[in-house]
Amino acid sequence: MEKVLVIGAARSGVAVSKLLKKNGYDVLLTDAKEVPEKEELEDLGIQVVDGGHPDWLLNTEYAFVVKNPGIPYRVPIIKYFVDAKVPVYTEIEVAYRFAKHFSYGAITGTDGKTTVTTLLYEMLKKAGPALTAGNIGIPLSEQVFSHDDQDTRIALELSNFQLLGIDSFRPHVSTITNLAPDHLDYMDSLDDYYSSKMRIYKNTTKEDYFIRNVDDPNIMKYAQNIPCQVIDFSLQRQDVDLYVKDGQAWYQDISLFHVNDLKIVGAFNCGNAMMAACMAYLMGVSLDDIQDVIQNFKGVEHRIEYVTTIDGVRIYNDTKATNTHSACAALSAFKENVILLCGGKDKHISFDDLKQYDHKIKHCFSFGQTKDQFKDIFTHQTSVETMQAAFAEACKIAKPGDTILLSPACSSFDQFKNYEVRGEIYKNMVHAYAKTRR
């Protein structure tokens, strides 16, 4: 029986441990923290070593190692196995090997991944068994564990962290939404970050498809020597395969949907919908089903999510904007009088691109580790310690017709567990304030 080491429990580590055990491997799971599921896993015959990584783990022979995608390769225990030439995968690669009946539509990029993935999933499930997995929050291993005997279409969101750990993974249709600076606290360089995204199509063949965003100069620079069929996409041009003309989104000479049917705001969301619709069409979804989803889709939680209106002030939650490019996309969807709440963990990314929206910003209240870095970005700016304080200050100056927008342009890890928790706390705070105004 081959032995496998899983480093990092979390949800994906627990899921891949169970999947490996189900498929006959001797599994050892280790985590620097306490593993809440330890007793359950040990009952399944999985050895759990928590509270640290003892040296004896390094003196055991493993068929391969599976690491949590969020653990950098420079962490000593990971670097040891890389240097020792032991294969190091993420759970995506492992799950793929055990899911012979799955067909994948895979999405990566800096922004828009979750919107495209969610739209694709809604379309796929109209046509038959479908699941969503990956960076969207559900480990692929978890889905494979429960559904590995089914012919299933998968809408799979992939981070570059997950792509770094693949070896044979092959999607039938894939896309990179865009490329902008991000994760420079994890990657050695911007070039490494962009290059890692290209791994999404590295195992594809002439039977597969890659949707290439020709409007993005970084994608055009890095997306070269693609082994599968390339579908060029643009919001600005019509001499491509996927384009907008006469108020409709077209794939070659096929009208996918009417742009006016979209409920989600922003030109970038039109692009997201076009990518999802084209992927769905190539995966066998009918045009009627694609158009039905387009007409009824109201957006993704935490991404320019409308929360409520209080005293004539519209309030939005865009906590998923964890980088500058994503926050710019959100600001582009509004015309004026935006009270912006931003800030968080420092990812060593420039905020200069936000300056182009200074004319839209009534006031910026920035918080967290990066709070003072917005002083030179916006004409009207105030630094506060917390998101709660930022919202309180925003409410003091908001007038009917204004918009309060949480779009942090930073990750959440300085003050919150993750961006979802940040968004939930924000929405609860908004609703609590609304009750005081009745």
Side-chain angles (χ1 to χ4, degrees):
M1 184 183 293
E2 290 187 308
K3 194 174 189 69
V4 175
L5 176 66
V6 179
I7 302 174
R11 185 172 176 180
S12 65
V14 170
V16 75
S17 296
K18 290 180 178 178
L19 181 61
L20 285 163
K21 186 64 181 178
K22 179 182 178 181
N23 284 275
Y25 285 88
D26 181 11
V27 183
L28 194 164
L29 170 65
T30 181
D31 196 288
K33 299 178 181 178
E34 182 179 328
V35 177
E37 302 88 352
K38 183 174 183 176
E39 184 175 347
E40 173 196 354
L41 293 168
E42 289 181 336
D43 286 345
L44 295 173
I46 297 168
Q47 185 179 356
V48 178
V49 178
D50 57 0
H53 307 304
D55 289 343
W56 63 261
L57 290 174
L58 309 180
N59 301 321
T60 304
E61 186 174 331
Y62 304 104
F64 55 89
V65 171
V66 184
K67 80 170 191 70
N68 182 290
I71 302 174
Y73 284 86
R74 59 179 173 269
V75 168
I77 189 171
I78 305 295
K79 187 176 186 301
Y80 172 86
F81 289 111
V82 172
D83 292 344
K85 307 300 183 185
V86 178
V88 178
Y89 304 129
T90 50
E91 64 94 16
I92 297 293
E93 174 67 22
V94 176
Y96 174 78
R97 296 182 180 190
F98 295 129
K100 303 303 182 185
H101 304 289
F102 284 12
S103 175
Y104 296 89
I107 301 97
T108 193
T110 306
D111 308 304
K113 298 186 296 293
T114 302
T115 299
V116 177
T117 304
T118 305
L119 266 168
L120 177 60
Y121 168 63
E122 293 296 326
M123 293 169 183
L124 291 177
K125 70 181 183 180
K126 291 268 189 180
L131 298 166
T132 187
N135 196 57
I136 201 166
I138 305 170
L140 182 59
S141 294
E142 200 171 289
Q143 300 287 36
V144 173
F145 185 88
S146 301
H147 305 279
D148 61 351
D149 59 342
Q150 299 177 11
D151 291 324
T152 306
R153 297 177 180 92
I154 309 294
L156 184 65
E157 178 183 332
L158 294 171
S159 68
N160 74 302
F161 306 153
Q162 291 167 319
L163 286 167
L164 286 168
I166 67 167
D167 181 54
S168 62
F169 171 75
R170 172 192 164 195
H172 178 50
V173 188
S174 61
T175 193
I176 301 172
T177 56
N178 73 318
L179 289 176
D182 201 359
H183 299 304
L184 299 185
D185 54 342
Y186 183 106
M187 303 298 294
D188 290 336
S189 69
L190 191 58
D191 180 70
D192 286 343
Y193 170 60
Y194 289 162
S195 297
S196 69
K197 294 290 191 179
M198 304 305 128
R199 294 175 62 82
I200 196 167
Y201 56 69
K202 77 169 199 142
N203 296 314
T204 57
T205 71
K206 292 181 179 179
E207 298 175 357
D208 305 315
Y209 302 88
F210 174 70
I211 299 173
R212 182 171 61 177
N213 182 357
V214 303
D215 295 338
D216 190 305
N218 289 322
I219 288 178
M220 294 306 291
K221 176 182 177 181
Y222 284 85
Q224 302 293 328
N225 302 314
I226 301 165
C228 61
Q229 300 177 62
V230 176
I231 297 170
D232 280 339
F233 153 73
S234 176
L235 284 171
Q236 302 167 11
R237 294 165 46 182
Q238 295 179 351
D239 60 337
V240 291
D241 304 295
L242 183 59
Y243 58 95
V244 177
K245 182 180 179 180
D246 300 329
Q248 298 178 70
W250 297 82
Y251 169 52
Q252 297 176 352
D253 59 352
I254 300 164
S255 175
L256 295 174
F257 61 86
H258 287 268
V259 173
N260 286 340
D261 286 340
L262 275 171
K263 303 294 190 298
I264 47 180
V265 299
F268 62 93
N269 269 327
C270 178
N272 291 337
M274 290 170 67
M275 291 181 193
C278 187
M279 294 179 79
Y281 181 77
L282 294 170
M283 295 178 74
V285 182
S286 72
L287 291 173
D288 284 344
D289 285 340
I290 289 170
Q291 290 160 13
D292 183 63
V293 170
I294 289 292
Q295 291 166 12
N296 291 286
F297 186 71
K298 296 180 180 178
V300 173
E301 186 179 18
H302 301 310
R303 188 67 179 111
I304 321 183
E305 176 191 7
Y306 171 72
V307 182
T308 190
T309 297
I310 303 174
D311 298 336
V313 178
R314 293 174 66 85
I315 302 176
Y316 287 84
N317 164 37
D318 191 43
T319 181
K320 202 172 189 305
T322 58
N323 58 64
T324 306
H325 193 271
S326 191
C328 284
L331 288 170
S332 72
F334 299 94
K335 290 184 178 180
E336 58 187 358
N337 294 332
V338 175
I339 303 173
L340 177 65
L341 316 183
C342 59
K345 183 179 184 294
D346 191 352
K347 297 166 74 175
H348 310 297
I349 298 171
S350 170
F351 299 120
D352 285 351
D353 281 353
L354 291 169
K355 288 181 180 178
Q356 63 186 299
Y357 299 103
D358 187 42
H359 66 286
K360 295 186 177 185
I361 305 300
K362 178 175 180 176
H363 204 96
C364 166
F365 294 102
S366 50
F367 57 90
Q369 196 178 87
T370 59
K371 62 182 183 297
D372 293 329
Q373 295 183 33
F374 296 91
K375 288 181 177 180
D376 297 328
I377 304 299
F378 299 114
T379 303
H380 306 288
Q381 182 274 344
T382 302
S383 298
V384 296
E385 289 299 320
T386 65
M387 178 180 69
Q388 290 86 339
F391 179 69
E393 292 300 318
C395 291
K396 291 178 184 177
I397 68 167
K399 303 295 182 185
D402 290 349
T403 296
I404 296 178
L405 170 67
L406 170 68
S407 191
C410 301
S411 67
S412 58
F413 301 124
D414 59 335
Q415 296 182 344
F416 304 94
K417 180 180 179 182
N418 52 46
Y419 75 82
E420 293 98 336
V421 168
R422 179 170 63 188
E424 291 301 327
I425 290 173
Y426 176 70
K427 289 192 288 184
N428 290 338
M429 186 167 51
V430 171
H431 291 309
Y433 176 68
K435 290 180 180 178
T436 69
R437 307 300 298 170
R438 291 173 183 167

